Amino acid sequence: MTKIKVALVGVGNCASALLQGLHYYSKFENEQECVGLPHLVLGGFHPRDIQIVAAFDVDNRKVGKDLSEAIFAPPNNAPKIVDVPKTGIIVHKGPLLDGVGEYTKKIVQISSQPEANILEVLKESKAEIMLNLLPSGAMKASAWYAEQALNASCAFINATPAFIASDAAWVERFEDAMLPLVGDDLIDQVGATALHKTLLKLLSLNGVYITETYQLDVGGGTESLDTLERTREIKRALKTQSVEAALPYKTEVVAGSMDYVDFLQNRRDSYFWIKGLYFCNTPMQIDLKLSTVDAPNAGSVLFDVIRAVKIALEKKLKGAVLPICAYAFKHPPQIVPLETAEKMFEDYVKGKP
Ligand SMILES: NC(=O)c1ccc[n+]([C@@H]2O[C@H](COP(=O)([O-])OP(=O)(O)OC[C@H]3O[C@@H](n4cnc5c(N)ncnc54)[C@H](O)[C@@H]3O)[C@@H](O)[C@H]2O)c1
């Protein structure tokens, strides 16, 4: 059976949930018995067809370790769901660049081991897809790894908010190299932005006039700390823009602001406030809290994206693959409504033009 060979860049919380999920779901055969995935089999691929063949990080407690150990090393705090047997994949040290910010340098310990020859590792491992799970503020490092993907002829998945799949120059380079590219900024399975937009849309369709709304997050993962320092403003602008687009008129919207509370561990609390007017100007309010664990929230979307990119490789697609970008990312090259994105993705997987 064809395996999908993936190189992981960044062995943080998301990587931990991904690897644990691969083991958790490997035994399931029946879609009805399998809780937590929209597709057990996608395009003929089961999650057990996904094989991690290389991994890169910079933290002393991860570099040089088997991947099965590295995913549970601090500062990772995603919960342990399953025991992961030894993988035989040793985490290699990559270049640091801007991987660690002022805030996260307090909790990430930089390894003093020499840097591996990343290109050589990629080629030896026969990786066909590179999955970028670097911190969101690591813009230069993300670009550096995209460059390595081009050099090693790997498709590139950008789960981070660095602009790569949504940047015309990068898209052209992947087109020239005849390689698929998808991104940017992975959508969550239980996503606060999607929930916020759906609530607003429902209310507005029923004639409610929204006067003000906000959605604010508090999290305890390393990523929340990095966001606080380096990407808070950009994330706030992107999410606010996306939420505003759900309403047919302009109103007071703030979305996506973030703070860090270490004792939450990998938990994320998302607060929603919606105020509006309905029949005869009668006021209504919604005050809601969504609690999730951050890393597993990326797992099922990553399963779908990896398998969909494998389909793109088989079809010899090149450049940004819009049905994947629009379905699974917050900042695709082109934003389309949620329902359209889902339809585009299902058609793409079924092979419909
Ligand atoms: N639900 C989710 O978790 C979710 C959803 C959407 C997007 N994302 C994105 O996925 C990315 C990863 O999230 P996470 O929670 O796993 O972050 P994390 O901080 O837990 O992991 C990042 C890892 O990258 C490593 N790293 C830092 N600099 C490096 C470098 N130069 N080379 C190699 N490794 C380096 C760190 O040591 C750490 O292990 C983030 O950009 C985040 O925005 C996550």
Side-chain angles (χ1 to χ4, degrees):
M1 185 63 192
T2 327
K3 291 278 179 195
I4 310 173
K5 297 189 186 312
V6 179
L8 279 183
V9 179
V11 185
N13 282 313
C14 259
S16 172
L18 174 68
L19 198 70
Q20 293 191 66
L22 290 176
H23 283 272
Y24 182 88
Y25 285 107
S26 63
K27 58 183 183 297
F28 284 93
E29 295 299 344
N30 185 340
E31 192 116 337
Q32 277 76 47
E33 287 168 11
C34 159
V35 174
L37 290 185
H39 314 99
L40 178 60
V41 176
L42 188 123
F45 296 106
H46 191 280
R48 63 177 164 255
D49 297 322
I50 301 173
Q51 188 185 1
I52 309 299
V53 295
F56 308 104
D57 207 283
V58 290
D59 194 297
N60 186 30
R61 294 156 291 184
K62 300 173 183 174
V63 172
K65 302 274 162 52
D66 188 276
L67 189 56
S68 58
E69 240 182 281
I71 55 170
F72 296 119
N76 287 9
N77 52 13
K80 185 168 184 171
I81 304 158
V82 286
D83 280 322
V84 177
K86 275 220 177 321
T87 60
I89 304 301
I90 300 298
V91 178
H92 290 280
K93 165 108 185 267
L96 178 61
L97 301 162
D98 58 350
V100 175
E102 277 305 307
Y103 290 8
T104 52
K105 79 177 180 202
K106 292 177 204 136
I107 59 171
V108 176
Q109 297 174 6
I110 308 301
S111 159
S112 54
Q113 286 200 32
E115 283 169 23
N117 181 332
I118 308 293
L119 195 53
E120 217 170 87
V121 176
L122 287 171
K123 286 191 171 156
E124 271 171 19
S125 69
K126 300 198 167 44
E128 52 189 335
I129 298 172
M130 182 187 278
L131 171 58
N132 179 24
L133 294 174
L134 288 175
S136 59
M139 303 290 173
K140 286 189 190 133
S142 288
W144 189 87
Y145 274 101
E147 199 76 52
Q148 304 314 303
L150 282 170
N151 294 338
S153 291
C154 291
F156 192 70
I157 300 173
N158 181 35
T160 83
F163 292 161
I164 296 181
S166 56
D167 178 283
W170 276 112
V171 173
E172 199 181 318
R173 294 192 61 200
F174 276 81
E175 270 171 6
D176 291 347
M178 310 287 286
L179 290 167
L181 165 67
V182 298
D184 300 318
D185 199 3
L186 196 76
I187 273 178
D188 282 326
Q189 182 177 14
V190 187
T193 305
L195 180 59
H196 196 190
K197 287 171 81 167
T198 306
L199 285 172
L200 294 177
K201 209 164 165 189
L202 176 72
L203 291 167
S204 136
L205 276 175
N206 284 346
V208 178
Y209 180 76
I210 308 295
T211 51
E212 60 190 50
T213 182
Y214 68 71
Q215 189 268 298
L216 306 174
D217 283 0
V218 187
T222 315
E223 175 53 24
S224 298
L225 184 60
D226 193 52
T227 301
L228 190 60
E229 180 203 342
R230 303 198 285 179
T231 49
R232 192 172 189 248
E233 290 312 313
I234 184 171
K235 282 195 173 177
R236 183 165 166 149
L238 291 178
K239 284 191 183 180
T240 300
Q241 198 186 1
S242 166
V243 172
E244 276 173 344
L247 288 172
Y249 49 83
K250 197 120 183 80
T251 192
E252 295 293 335
V253 178
V254 170
S257 188
M258 150 75 74
D259 214 327
Y260 172 72
V261 177
D262 61 352
F263 63 75
L264 287 182
Q265 294 287 312
N266 197 225
R267 198 174 91 212
R268 180 185 292 257
D269 290 339
S270 304
Y271 296 91
F272 301 76
W273 164 255
I274 302 174
K275 197 170 162 191
L277 298 167
Y278 64 107
F279 196 64
C280 296
N281 263 357
T282 310
M284 54 76 52
Q285 292 172 10
I286 294 180
D287 195 353
L288 199 75
K289 174 181 159 190
L290 165 71
S291 238
T292 53
V293 182
D294 214 22
N297 220 343
S300 99
V301 190
L302 284 176
F303 278 12
D304 281 357
V305 172
I306 292 168
R307 294 179 289 177
V309 169
K310 175 69 178 179
I311 298 172
L313 282 166
E314 288 184 336
K315 287 187 181 169
K316 300 202 180 332
L317 300 183
K318 51 183 184 152
V321 186
L322 194 59
I324 310 177
C325 298
Y327 166 77
F329 296 91
K330 294 184 205 118
H331 196 250
Q334 195 187 318
I335 295 177
V336 298
L338 283 176
E339 314 79 59
T340 316
E342 266 165 33
K343 173 89 173 59
M344 279 166 75
F345 186 74
E346 296 299 333
D347 286 351
Y348 163 82
V349 171
K350 286 182 193 141
K352 289 189 193 162

